[in-house]
Amino acid sequence: MKILLDHNAPQGLRHLLDDHDIQTAEYLGWETLRNGDLIKNAILDGYEIIITCDQSIRFQQNLIQQRITVLTITTNDWDTIQTNISLIRRAIDTAQQGEDNIVQIRPQR
């Protein structure tokens, strides 16, 4: 699956999800794009999923009927994400085009 990591998602996800084709917004030179333009560029480049930690994106953008899934992770704490990578993998595996999915992960204590 072709996945784009937003600039606020931990870049280490590339290594934890290495069975997918993953690029970062920074690598593509898109780190300064606002959410709407980032989504448009991702769709044009054939990305199927954007992974972000920006919980407000779902309120700022009309994500219904987009040709991409936006997967929002509720934390960007690296240790917590590593511990809960199975939740993220499950969300990727079950994603449907045009969905706005949230992976609820509670920070570790």
Side-chain angles (χ1 to χ4, degrees):
M1 187 163 300
K2 194 169 179 183
I3 299 173
L4 176 65
L5 290 182
D6 194 358
H7 69 277
N8 58 23
Q11 307 303 296
L13 276 169
R14 291 186 67 222
H15 305 292
L16 295 179
L17 302 169
D18 61 359
D19 52 329
H20 295 283
D21 178 10
I22 300 181
Q23 292 299 328
T24 65
E26 182 178 45
Y27 177 79
L28 296 170
W30 296 352
E31 68 273 10
T32 61
L33 293 180
R34 304 196 45 80
N35 289 335
D37 291 331
L38 182 68
I39 291 169
K40 287 176 191 172
N41 280 11
I43 290 170
L44 289 173
D45 271 17
Y47 286 91
E48 299 166 87
I49 295 178
I50 295 176
I51 296 178
T52 185
C53 293
D54 179 356
Q55 295 182 54
S56 64
I57 193 170
R58 60 194 318 233
F59 304 109
Q60 297 170 352
Q61 302 298 317
N62 180 6
L63 302 174
I64 307 279
Q65 302 302 319
Q66 293 284 2
R67 293 187 331 254
I68 197 163
T69 297
V70 176
L71 179 62
T72 304
I73 302 171
T74 59
T75 183
N76 62 0
D77 178 74
W78 182 236
D79 291 333
T80 303
I81 286 176
Q82 288 180 68
T83 302
N84 293 279
I85 193 64
S86 63
L87 295 174
I88 297 167
R89 286 186 167 283
R90 188 173 319 124
I92 290 169
D93 292 343
T94 60
Q96 298 293 315
Q97 182 176 319
E99 281 187 341
D100 171 23
N101 293 326
I102 296 180
V103 179
Q104 293 279 353
I105 299 176
R106 290 193 169 91
Q108 293 179 330
R109 297 186 187 260

